[in-house]
Each structure stands twice: as C-alpha cells, then as structure tokens.
Amino acid sequence: MSENSAAPGNAGPTGNIQGENVLVLIAEDAPEIADILAAYLARSGMRSVHAADGARALELHLALKPDLVLLDIQMPQVNGWQVLSQIRQRGNTPVILLTALDQDVDKLTGLRIGADDYVVKPFNPAEVVARVQAVLRRSLPREQRDERRILRVAPFIIDFDHHEAVAEIDGRSHTLVLTLTEFRLLAQLARAPRRVFSRAELLEACLPEGDTLERTVDSHVSKLRKKLEDLGIAGVPASIRGVGYRFNQGL
C-alpha cells in the first residue's frame, strides 16, 4: 500500500479513534506481507501506511503519529530494535513486533525495550488484526475504552460489537434490518463521513471474500439506500460521480 494513501493520523492511542479510522504504520521490508496486512486492516475499517525500511518508519511515525506500529525486527538501514527504542523515546505509541525470530530471549528483549505484543512469522493476518484491536483497547483510557465500539453519526447509532444500527428519527429509535455487507458499508462510510470512498476501497473493506467486481458495491449500496429511504432518510449513502460514495451529500 502506498505511503501516500493515508492522511495524518491521530496523536497516538489517546486520540479520538472512534470517529476516524485507526491509522496503523506497517514497518515491513517484504511488500507481499505488508500488502496482506494492509488488506486485512482495511477490512476491519483501519487505514495503514507502509514503510519498507527502518529509517522511513521513523520518518512516518514522526510525521503521521499513527495509532499503532506493526514493526518487523529485521529491517534494512535501521533495524526494528532501534526503531522501537526511538519510538519509545518519543512517546507511548503501541508497537507490535513482527519477526521470524522465535527464541524466548528475542521476545523478552522486545518486551523489555517496550513492545506491547510480539507475533512470530509465519502468522495468520486475521490474528494480527485481532491483536491490533486488543492492544488499542488496552491503550485507551477507561472512559474511551468503554465507548469506543459505539459510533454516533446523526441520525445513526452504530454498535460494532453487536453489528446493530439504529436510526433516531423524530425522537423515535428504528432498528435497521441490514445484511452484514450493508452494515459494513454504512459503518465504513460513517467512520469518516467527509471522506469519499472509491468502489475499490469499499469492496476491499466491506464485502465478503469472493466478491470481486466493483459493480457489486453499487448493488449493495442501492439496497442499503432503499432501506434508509423507506425510513425517510434520503441521500445516504451519497453517490459522488466518477469517484465513489460518501456518507452524506451535504457534508
């Protein structure tokens, strides 16, 4: 994934990561591994930026202030141990080490320097995403940790833990009857309501594995929009001609 695909992120784990996508810095010199991790993070609603060497990782960490760093130890120019040490000198950004080194001494070294978790290659990328989510939850203050899984973007209240969405209309609550894909689309757009998502981005982040055609996104969006229109909610999601979709046309 291109490092230009992510705008400046939140100022570490105490920022508001409920309303905007989490930004993860993937510091990994193997592009195929970085691409897989980026795809799995995107499916969970998280943005990512890639650094192919340790020096670039430190530059991006300083410039973008990611919410979390996935850090390979065996990196060119500046190795992972040195990157982790400098990140710790700067602050408390959560760091998960990714490495082929599986000796206990290596794990203990990483934890001693300040890593929050340690994943040995080869790994299941879905497990890595789960560990990212767990580390971020632990890193949040208690009051934010308790509220993080509920997103409120008028007129919707989106419950990620229970995959439920409610629309508040004229003082009344209406539970939306959505498919999993429709829920994912609504949640993805609501996380960053001012952003325009391309069909390719929505396809990667929201649709089940096996759906490979971008026009499939149009079909799911159309069905979601019809359900919302039946409740009197017009223009959600909004079509942006030649680009893709945004949460609301009026933003």
Side-chain angles (χ1 to χ4, degrees):
M1 179 170 289
S2 168
E3 65 189 38
N4 294 324
S5 63
N10 304 305
T14 59
N16 177 22
I17 63 176
Q18 176 175 307
E20 297 287 340
N21 291 349
V22 169
L23 177 62
V24 177
L25 169 58
I26 303 172
E28 168 61 63
D29 62 333
E32 64 277 8
I33 294 177
D35 287 345
I36 291 171
L37 289 171
Y40 273 77
L41 290 167
R43 290 176 187 173
S44 296
M46 289 180 270
R47 297 175 298 150
S48 64
V49 61
H50 176 219
D53 61 70
R56 186 60 178 153
L58 288 170
E59 291 176 1
L60 291 176
H61 175 262
L62 187 62
L64 300 181
K65 296 180 174 60
D67 296 291
L68 183 140
V69 179
L70 290 172
L71 176 62
D72 184 24
I73 290 178
Q74 297 176 314
M75 295 271 286
Q77 296 194 32
V78 182
N79 67 39
W81 301 124
Q82 295 169 309
V83 173
L84 174 58
S85 179
Q86 291 194 45
I87 287 176
R88 280 293 158 265
Q89 292 175 21
R90 296 174 178 176
N92 297 316
T93 306
V95 176
I96 298 177
L97 294 178
L98 305 175
T99 180
L101 305 174
D102 62 354
Q103 300 298 314
D104 287 342
V105 64
D106 298 312
K107 299 177 183 179
L108 292 173
T109 298
L111 296 174
R112 178 177 57 79
I113 295 176
D116 295 270
D117 204 348
Y118 193 109
V119 179
V120 176
K121 299 177 181 178
F123 50 72
N124 181 336
E127 179 186 351
V128 175
V129 171
R131 288 179 181 245
V132 167
Q133 294 169 332
V135 168
L136 286 171
R137 282 195 297 269
R138 292 198 300 268
S139 301
L140 287 170
R142 178 175 295 275
E143 62 272 14
Q144 286 183 269
R145 191 184 312 151
D146 292 341
E147 297 176 359
R148 181 172 177 264
R149 300 293 297 176
I150 301 292
L151 175 60
R152 300 174 186 272
V153 180
F156 303 105
I157 302 173
I158 300 172
D159 185 335
F160 292 94
D161 288 329
H162 297 94
H163 281 79
E164 292 179 353
V166 173
E168 298 283 349
I169 304 172
D170 297 329
R172 299 182 61 183
S173 297
H174 302 265
T175 299
L176 304 179
V177 181
L178 304 177
T179 66
L180 178 58
T181 297
E182 291 165 356
F183 175 87
R184 287 173 174 170
L185 284 167
L186 179 63
Q188 182 76 1
L189 294 166
R191 282 189 180 103
R194 296 181 183 274
R195 178 182 171 188
V196 179
F197 289 86
S198 70
R199 289 172 176 81
E201 288 175 314
L202 293 174
L203 181 70
E204 182 178 76
C206 303
L207 272 70
E209 296 180 10
D211 282 323
T212 58
L213 300 177
E214 290 187 12
R215 65 172 177 266
T216 307
V217 174
D218 297 332
S219 176
H220 288 287
V221 168
S222 177
K223 292 175 182 177
L224 170 61
R225 186 183 288 140
K226 177 63 167 57
K227 290 180 179 181
L228 298 179
E229 288 175 347
D230 288 345
L231 289 174
I233 302 172
V236 180
S239 298
I240 307 301
R241 187 175 181 180
V243 183
Y245 296 98
R246 183 167 60 190
F247 176 73
N248 190 308
Q249 183 71 51
L251 292 174

